Amino acid sequence: MHFAKLDDSPMFRKQIQTLEEGSESLGERCLKFYKGCRKYTEGLGEGYDGDIAFASALETFGGGHNDPISVAFGGPVMTKFTIALREIGTYKEVLRSQVENMLNERLLQFVNLDLHDVKEARKRFDKASLLYDQAREKFLALRKGTRSDVASLLEEELHHARSTFEQARFNLVTALSTVEAKKRFEFLEAVSETMAAHLRYFKQGYELLHQMEPYINQVSTYAKQSKERSNYEQAALNERMQEYKRQIDRESRWSSNVSNGSPNGDGIQTIGRSSHKMIEAVMLSAAKGKVQTIRQGYLSKRSSNLRGDWKRRFFVLDSRGMLYYYRKRSSKPSGSGSQLSSQRNSSELGSGLLSRWLSSHYHGGVHDEKSVAHHTVNLLTSTIKVDADQSDLRFCFRIISPTKNYTLQAESALDQMDWIEKITGVIASLLSSQGPERGLPASPMGSGHHRSTSESSSFESADYDHGAVEEYTSERFASLHMDRPLRISQQQRTALKTEKPIDVLKKVCGNDRCADCGAPEPDWASLNLGVLVCIECSGVHRNLGVHISKVRSLTLDVKVWEPSVLNLFQSLGNTFANSVWEELLHSNGVFQVDLGPSGLYRTNKQQMVYFNKPSPADSISMKEKFIHVKYEDKLFVRKQKENQSVAQQMWDAVRANDKKGLYGLIVTSETDINAIYNQLETTSNPSLTLAKVMLLQEQTAIDPYSAELSLHKTFSGSSLNPTKSTSDDVIVNNSVIIDDLDLDGCSLLHLACETADIGMIELLLQYAAYVNATDSKGRTPLHRCIIRGKTTLAKLLLTRGADTQAVDEKGKTPFQVAVESNFDDVEVLALLSDTHHR
Ligand SMILES: [Zn+2]
């Protein structure tokens, strides 16, 4: 405590002086600090200007929603980012003004008011002190006998000077003690408040960006997917161009080989008849709304005017039975830009924007025939003739309709033949299927190309365009084969086509629609969940993490679609998978959940949230919410209590090769997929009851494995293979079957190698079954497959990390076991021995 004694003493004066010197140097420090603070706030101000400049630049770059160029590179998506950037800039401005008030102003005030007060008080004190000294001197200089009135006047003066002096002295004390007091808290308060302002600044920024995080991830995931797709499309385009060149090459060689004349009518008839079936099939699929191009290319067309000159026109024959050609246009087409912008004229922001942009953008880039004028030939009432009217030109044919005749010239004999054949086929097909239900549209604009105002249908028609282009390539491919002397048979061609995973998988029940939102024709899949999803939902699945969903493309990720994966997917399907994942949702359509304080979300209120399955048109954020609660929180799954009976059921499901059963058990319970058989036996099944034995026998009787076992038995018992029967691993008889196939210490994967197929192995591996688990005899699943001669399963295990160096209790690797048991698949032996010698 300063000023313990208030008497004006030398100690008091000394103390005052020390304090004044202290406040003087504090003032200098404050001014230096203030300079730094000013620099900082000015910097923040410039930072704010920079932020706004950046946001504006990005906004300009992104363009509006009606700007087709910006739509093409994702401008509307960027607009959402500019809003965030502006917001962050504002936070910076708020921080700047807070620092200004809390620190700069306060410092300045301290220097200008408090410290200034000390100086002023000192001045007044000095002045008062001087006056007091003078008054005292005068008073003390009075002689004895001075007139009393003079004396009393001086005394009064002295008294007055003294009280002024005391007042000034206390004013100085007050000013100094104010400074002393403020010293203790003023700076701490200012700096801590500044720090708190920084904390708020970063918190706000974090919260804003955190909210945006899923959106940011989505955009970057989409960009990644686009990149993959573009790479793929570029490769495909290159491939198509190569193929196109090769075909041109072949055609020119072919036509030079096939002498110089046009083929006769009989020849065309034969080819025509054989391709009619194909055309009919294609046109039947068109009735279901899928339009394919049967053939397209340039033909010379003779004008109907008097001159009869020839014009080169691009003709398209499609599976709706329409033949049309494009005419030259005088003006530039209005372009697809306006069309895109009409989709885009909603200015609403948010994730709905992203989803719409994704859907419009994703299928963009098909530069369409719609903008080019065309003329349609009515084939239904037409006939075709192989010659030209009043012309001896080669490669000609005529289409004769009641209203108009078209004389056309192909560019080669082959070309001519193919056009005639396909048009004939289409006419035949039109005639045979003609009925009131299949009215022909007047122009290609009429159907398929029709653009409705709703988002979803513009999406579909864009999708259809895409499909048409793809079909075009495959048609081209097919016609290529047809043109060869050795034609591939119908079945073979169908087989070729259906080999694509997307074709195989979309036939599985429920797979025609996205498992999560119901969007049509999903072309993404979750490998471990066994479901097909649309592109939007696939993005959400990616964000779930691979421990929940492993997303792959049906069309782009060709390598993952191994037979085992296809088998698994064929056994599951969206309908089944949803019966497990949405069981509780299905029971009443809408799911209602109580999200209390202990519930899923941290909230104090008792809340009821209604979950409804999203539809394709719903916003991506709704889909995201749904997918999270569906797969991550398993909210709609009817969970089982974990007990031994679940483990037993899993066991039984694998034994019966029941993939659906096992999948359901994996999802609904947390039972360890790597559980070992003997543990199971000892705890849950102390005694093998008669009923149980009967059940086992029943199961093994219908088990496909029992058939294989008996085959194996005959085989190993035959004279062809005397060595096999000596190996005690291969002793197979009924007692082994009833004794649970020697399953001591087996895992589910071991069991699957005995009783199930590759799909089951795939399912187990997808759910982290340990590929190198050992049974009580030290054998891995690979050992077991080798012993049983199961080459397909062995190959699968080898591609999935099965250890070729694992040794059983006798110290034998799978390769040694294979050699001993006369395992004869060369490929597997090579795989085993390759690493064997390494
Ligand atoms: Zn979906």
Side-chain angles (χ1 to χ4, degrees), residues 513-520 522 532-538 541 614-616 623 627:
R513 300 205 164 253
C514 170
D516 298 323
C517 74
L532 302 195
V533 293
C534 68
I535 171 105
E536 281 190 6
C537 294
S538 81
H541 274 253
S615 69
K623 294 181 189 176
I627 290 169

Side-chain angles (χ1 to χ4, degrees), residues 499-704:
E499 261 173 5
K500 282 195 279 180
I502 193 160
D503 293 329
V504 175
L505 295 183
K506 72 183 172 192
K507 288 188 202 123
V508 185
C509 187
N511 283 8
D512 54 335
R513 300 205 164 253
C514 170
D516 298 323
C517 74
E521 305 202 359
D523 52 5
W524 290 77
S526 168
L527 283 191
N528 56 323
L529 299 175
V531 295
L532 302 195
V533 293
C534 68
I535 171 105
E536 281 190 6
C537 294
S538 81
V540 182
H541 274 253
R542 257 178 222 271
N543 288 345
L544 291 174
V546 288
H547 62 293
I548 296 178
S549 182
K550 293 179 205 161
V551 180
R552 292 290 183 277
S553 164
L554 286 179
T555 48
L556 307 184
D557 297 310
V558 186
K559 278 180 198 149
V560 304
W561 297 104
E562 298 290 331
S564 60
V565 183
L566 289 176
N567 175 311
L568 175 60
F569 269 70
Q570 282 177 299
S571 312
L572 300 174
N574 286 2
T575 303
F576 166 72
N578 278 341
S579 76
V580 176
W581 286 102
E582 298 175 358
E583 188 183 353
L584 300 177
L585 190 67
H586 283 187
S587 56
N588 53 0
V590 174
F591 185 76
Q592 176 187 341
V593 64
D594 179 11
L595 302 174
S598 58
L600 289 161
Y601 300 105
R602 272 166 284 139
T603 162
N604 298 324
K605 281 181 271 176
Q606 286 282 109
Q607 253 186 322
M608 295 303 234
V609 172
Y610 295 87
F611 280 104
N612 215 338
K613 190 164 174 147
S615 69
D618 279 332
S619 73
I620 211 162
S621 67
M622 273 190 71
K623 294 181 189 176
E624 187 166 22
K625 222 168 271 168
F626 178 77
I627 290 169
H628 273 272
V629 295
K630 179 175 170 184
Y631 298 108
E632 198 168 44
D633 304 328
K634 292 190 174 181
L635 211 56
F636 317 126
V637 170
R638 192 184 296 283
K639 295 189 184 82
Q640 305 212 21
K641 287 215 179 75
E642 193 174 336
N643 56 29
Q644 284 300 330
S645 91
V646 175
Q648 182 62 51
Q649 286 171 40
M650 282 172 112
W651 199 260
D652 295 340
V654 173
R655 176 193 289 279
N657 196 24
D658 175 8
K659 277 157 267 182
K660 283 182 177 166
L662 182 65
Y663 180 91
L665 290 164
I666 290 172
V667 174
T668 55
S669 76
E670 306 283 329
T671 307
D672 181 14
I673 204 162
N674 286 309
I676 300 299
Y677 186 68
N678 53 5
Q679 292 169 352
L680 194 76
E681 278 306 281
T682 48
T683 49
S684 79
N685 202 12
S687 61
L688 201 65
T689 61
L690 182 62
K692 172 92 182 147
V693 172
M694 304 252 299
L695 188 71
L696 283 177
Q697 277 176 311
E698 213 172 85
Q699 277 172 348
T700 42
I702 52 160
D703 194 330

Side-chain angles (χ1 to χ4, degrees), residues 200-219:
R200 281 193 296 277
Y201 167 69
F202 284 105
K203 256 190 188 165
Q204 280 176 318
Y206 173 77
E207 272 158 23
L208 179 78
L209 290 172
H210 183 63
Q211 276 176 13
M212 286 193 74
E213 198 177 354
Y215 184 75
I216 296 169
N217 290 340
Q218 244 170 352
V219 172

Side-chain angles (χ1 to χ4, degrees), residues 98 311 507 589 773:
Q98 285 179 341
K311 292 229 166 74
K507 288 188 202 123

